[in-house]
Amino acid sequence: MAKLLIEGQRKLRGEVSLQGSKNSTLPILAATLLTEGENVIHNCPCLSDIDVAISILRYLGCSATRHGHTLLVDTCNLNDTHIPDSLMREMRSSVIFLGAVLARCGRARISLPGGCELGPRPVDLHLDSLRKMGAVITEHHGEIRAHTPRGLEGARIALAFPSVGATENIIIAASLAKGTTVITNAAREPEIVDLADYLNKCGAMISGAGDGTVVIEGVERLHGAVHNIIPDRIVAATLMSAAAVTGSHIVINDVISAHLGAIIPAFEEAGCRLSVKEGRIDFKAPQKLRSPGLIRTTPYPGFPTDAQPPLMALSLVAEGTTVFVETVFESRYKHIGEFLRMGANIKSEGRVAVVEGVSKLYGSKLKAGDLRGSAALVVAGLAAQGKTEIDTTGYLERGYEELDAVLSSLDGSVRKV
Ligand code: UD1
């Protein structure tokens, strides 16, 4: 497994382009299962999670080929409704394939999904919603079997929590259901809007994506489409954190700044200056970072839980006290133990962590415990004095396309060995 070697405290400089969003690409690849004809999906990042989604499509009999950042997907020859345990365990978003296979074939068999350990991550909202749409679902020893005796039917679904994955599963399933589906308390993340945009290009009738209420009029068939995946807002937050802790001036291109509405103010609070223009962020860190204050993660448009770990890395070396309240996931502080090895000053209990900025972090040997946490360790390594060695255990590659090369292109000293 790859390790990253970082020589800390080097200033970054230059320009980078933002990769496409992992969290948009995954549900869109699942949604291709609903379509007849070829799909051309541009700006797909090269990531191990995307490779898993491609493997699932191929296992089901579909053709999926990559040409750089473009994926050509044709699902006409789909000939299976079972996704094996080995593929399902590779990532949590594999559960999105449930709604898609069910809508296309009237039955599906999957095992419970895997993914990063961020506390219990049930799929009850996904299953309850599909049941409301007429699916009969049984669970045996970690396997989920679903079929639709009368086909999927539109339903009114009020989500108890605006789950991103459940909202995506419902939108996908409802696109080919009979009648109208209305989701209230739907997730509003930009990735939901991207999924709806793609499906509407395929002939679906989805309105209200990005608002709390999404209405889907089911249609009989969908065709393939050409689609461009949105840029990855979490990678943007990670790169800005990297620039912030090294006192750097960088430019990030191909950004949709509207997606960073809750993220940009946190950097400004820390004393960073951002000039945002036409898909480009000119980012300047101050000589000395200030605490960003209170970071409370909530569903979009609030502060994203995925950006909490890199912002915590920033707060380690920011003057003053930063308070983190993680409301989305129960257990998302695995990076704290590693930060402490570096000389950070953090107290945490349950969902709250309090960071007192220190004047210096020390390069250390670290081990990643999840995807965004591993990116946060990279940020902390860039901030630290001396060498940091990170055993990423494959997590980083799930969501960041060659982060070592991206940071090296900005003059950072980050090497994969
Ligand atoms: C997606 C993102 C992930 C991000 C998360 C929250 C993808 C591929 N992943 O994950 O990066 O951190 O949104 O923004 O897009 N929950 C239930 N029952 C359910 C479903 C969810 O209780 O049936 C709970 C989860 O345990 C968690 C919370 O809801 O505490 C948020 O989960 P959800 O929004 O579903 O996240 P994911 O779709 O898994």
Side-chain angles (χ1 to χ4, degrees):
M1 203 55 79
K3 285 195 175 166
L4 286 186
L5 293 184
I6 302 174
E7 184 77 53
Q9 296 193 329
R10 277 178 62 149
K11 270 200 195 309
L12 306 179
R13 61 170 168 221
E15 299 200 11
V16 279
S17 292
L18 204 50
Q19 70 179 59
S21 162
K22 166 181 87 76
N23 289 354
S24 258
T25 310
L26 293 172
I28 286 174
L29 288 182
T32 61
L33 285 174
L34 305 181
T35 65
E36 294 163 23
E38 189 172 69
N39 291 279
V40 182
I41 317 289
H42 295 299
N43 204 28
C44 295
C46 298
L47 303 169
S48 55
D49 269 11
I50 305 299
D51 291 340
V52 174
I54 292 172
S55 299
I56 292 176
L57 288 171
R58 288 184 182 150
Y59 183 88
L60 295 173
C62 311
S63 109
T65 48
R66 184 186 271 287
H67 300 273
H69 289 107
T70 296
L71 284 179
L72 302 183
V73 183
D74 192 328
T75 66
C76 286
N77 294 328
L78 178 127
N79 57 19
D80 207 335
T81 57
H82 167 228
I83 304 175
D85 193 50
S86 53
L87 288 172
M88 286 300 297
R89 277 182 188 276
E90 291 284 320
M91 64 171 178
R92 177 174 166 81
S93 343
S94 48
V95 73
I96 302 296
F97 282 85
L98 177 63
V101 175
L102 197 58
R104 166 94 179 255
C105 308
R107 60 177 55 248
R109 182 157 66 93
I110 63 170
S111 54
L112 283 172
C116 288
E117 285 299 331
L118 307 173
R121 295 178 80 177
V123 291
D124 54 326
L125 300 173
H126 300 245
L127 303 190
D128 290 352
S129 307
L130 292 171
R131 283 188 178 111
K132 283 208 173 94
M133 299 176 72
V136 175
I137 302 177
T138 52
E139 292 172 73
H140 297 284
H141 308 299
E143 189 176 75
I144 299 169
R145 290 173 186 236
H147 70 285
T148 55
R150 295 184 313 276
L152 283 171
E153 290 164 353
R156 291 191 79 83
I157 298 168
L159 287 174
F161 179 88
S163 155
V164 173
T167 303
E168 291 165 348
N169 233 332
I170 304 165
I171 289 177
I172 291 172
S175 292
L176 284 186
K178 273 182 241 133
T180 307
T181 298
V182 180
I183 316 171
T184 51
N185 199 25
R188 298 162 64 187
E189 270 70 0
E191 295 76 24
I192 302 281
V193 179
D194 205 25
L195 171 66
D197 284 349
Y198 160 72
L199 280 167
N200 283 339
K201 282 181 196 163
C202 298
M205 291 177 63
I206 303 164
S207 57
D211 297 331
T213 302
V214 183
V215 180
I216 308 116
E217 307 279 352
V219 297
E220 278 198 6
R221 40 179 18 112
L222 294 171
H223 51 78
V226 178
H227 187 74
N228 217 21
I229 297 288
I230 57 170
D232 196 309
R233 61 199 169 99
I234 306 303
V235 175
T238 307
L239 294 173
M240 290 195 279
S241 302
V245 298
T246 48
S248 304
H249 177 190
I250 64 166
V251 171
I252 309 176
N253 292 310
D254 303 328
V255 180
I256 300 180
S257 56
H259 296 170
L260 300 169
I263 292 174
I264 288 175
F267 285 100
E268 287 173 336
E269 189 70 32
C272 305
R273 279 187 295 141
L274 288 86
S275 141
V276 184
K277 231 189 314 188
E278 290 161 15
R280 175 185 163 94
I281 294 184
D282 187 295
F283 183 98
K284 276 196 196 115
Q287 290 278 19
K288 182 77 198 129
L289 285 169
R290 294 191 303 262
S291 153
L294 171 68
I295 305 270
R296 189 170 185 278
T297 68
T298 54
Y300 194 84
F303 191 90
T305 172
D306 287 354
Q308 174 260 109
L311 260 290
M312 189 180 287
L314 175 155
S315 72
L316 303 179
V317 289
E319 210 160 12
T321 309
T322 311
V323 177
F324 290 85
V325 184
E326 172 58 64
T327 77
V328 179
F329 287 108
E330 223 166 83
S331 165
R332 200 167 200 178
Y333 286 141
K334 285 207 181 101
H335 38 286
I336 289 183
E338 305 302 298
F339 288 161
L340 292 176
R341 288 169 171 248
M342 308 178 83
N345 181 354
I346 312 172
K347 302 237 168 357
S348 67
E349 162 111 25
R351 291 175 180 254
V352 177
V354 179
V355 180
E356 289 293 340
V358 293
S359 57
K360 212 180 264 177
L361 291 176
Y362 299 93
S364 310
K365 283 195 170 184
L366 308 174
K367 190 166 165 81
D370 60 54
L371 161 56
R372 304 300 170 188
S374 64
L377 300 186
V378 173
V379 174
L382 292 169
Q385 186 181 58
K387 288 189 175 65
T388 290
E389 183 182 313
I390 306 173
D391 179 352
T392 62
T393 64
Y395 283 117
L396 195 67
E397 295 76 10
R398 295 181 53 180
Y400 291 84
E401 184 173 325
E402 296 187 342
L403 188 58
D404 53 323
V406 171
L407 291 169
S408 298
S409 77
L410 291 171
D411 274 2
S413 171
V414 182
R415 252 183 339 117
K416 196 184 261 183
V417 290

